Amino acid sequence: TSLERHPKLGKPFARKCENYRKIILIGFFSKHYQITLKMDKKVRVTKQFKFETGHALYGYDGLCKNVHGHSYKLDVTVIGHPIDDAENVKNGMVIDFGDLKTIVNQEIVHPFDHATVLNINSPHKEIADEMENRGHKILRVNYQPTSEMMILEFAVKIKAMLPNHLKLHSLKLRETETAFAEWYAEDQ
């Protein structure tokens, strides 16, 4: 970063440089300064989502073996370069939060919200059949529906829908305020 002032006027001035963006700060110690930002730096962007989901853990030795629900919170963090194109309506953004919302709602929130997630590779398949016959929203999965396994599925689904210039950096799935699972791309 560099601060520049016009040598004669003492006011900020703009110089066209490729891959740089100028931002003017006003009132910084009562003087005007200009900061030059190189746009080749990556930025992480996070959006949080909420949904209500039920599940049961087959064979578990605690209370979670029973059908029950959680108010899940999912933090989705992507990483990329801010768009550096004055003609692009998304100029300066890594991703439009609305676009990220569309992806996550379509792949995760809408299917999981107010659904019961059950492992069909267990006797819970019968519970799933019965609940579905009674009009309940059921998500049939081929894994034990723990937060750890759900977050792995979420990572696959979200990565498949992201634009090529972005990477999924991390996910954080809160089952309660004090219990959560995390997924990081660097750990894979």
Side-chain angles (χ1 to χ4, degrees):
T1 337
S2 65
L3 299 175
E4 294 179 85
R5 293 173 55 81
H6 191 281
K8 294 183 180 173
L9 301 176
K11 294 183 180 178
F13 69 102
R15 180 182 300 144
K16 185 168 177 142
C17 297
E18 192 174 310
N19 293 325
Y20 284 81
R21 179 79 55 226
K22 304 286 184 179
I23 299 174
I24 297 173
L25 301 176
I26 299 172
F28 182 71
F29 299 111
S30 302
K31 297 178 184 176
H32 298 269
Y33 290 95
Q34 184 168 328
I35 296 177
T36 304
L37 298 175
K38 190 163 176 160
M39 296 297 281
D40 69 346
K41 303 297 181 191
K42 290 184 177 181
V43 177
R44 295 176 192 159
V45 176
T46 302
K47 183 154 179 60
Q48 186 174 89
F49 300 87
K50 298 177 183 178
F51 53 96
E52 309 293 325
T53 301
H55 69 151
L57 303 180
Y58 178 75
Y60 183 65
D61 62 355
L63 292 175
C64 292
K65 67 182 175 188
N66 301 300
V67 176
H68 65 287
H70 298 283
S71 296
Y72 287 96
K73 291 180 184 172
L74 175 65
D75 294 342
V76 177
T77 302
V78 298
I79 188 168
H81 299 282
I83 295 168
D84 188 16
D85 177 2
E87 303 298 315
N88 189 322
V89 296
K90 313 280 177 144
N91 189 36
M93 297 180 182
V94 171
I95 186 172
D96 184 323
F97 284 114
D99 294 341
L100 184 57
K101 180 179 177 180
T102 298
I103 291 168
V104 177
N105 279 343
Q106 175 185 315
E107 297 299 316
I108 311 302
V109 176
H110 294 156
F112 280 81
D113 191 41
H114 286 83
T116 303
V117 184
L118 296 169
N119 181 352
I120 60 165
N121 294 328
S122 75
H124 282 175
K125 180 185 181 309
E126 294 169 17
I127 295 171
D129 293 341
E130 180 64 27
M131 289 178 73
E132 204 166 54
N133 288 338
R134 293 175 180 253
H136 293 271
K137 184 178 175 183
I138 302 298
L139 264 178
R140 297 163 183 266
V141 297
N142 60 3
Y143 57 81
Q144 182 80 305
T146 61
S147 290
E148 296 90 335
M149 297 303 292
M150 289 168 58
I151 204 169
L152 291 173
E153 178 183 0
F154 295 173
V156 169
K157 288 183 172 192
I158 294 168
K159 285 192 314 185
M161 297 301 292
L162 286 176
N164 291 334
H165 69 282
L166 296 177
K167 299 267 190 249
L168 181 60
H169 177 269
S170 62
L171 298 174
K172 183 175 189 175
L173 181 62
R174 288 183 194 86
E175 193 172 275
T176 69
E177 287 302 313
T178 61
F180 54 87
E182 293 180 296
W183 177 95
Y184 286 91
E186 67 187 33
D187 295 340
Q188 307 311 307

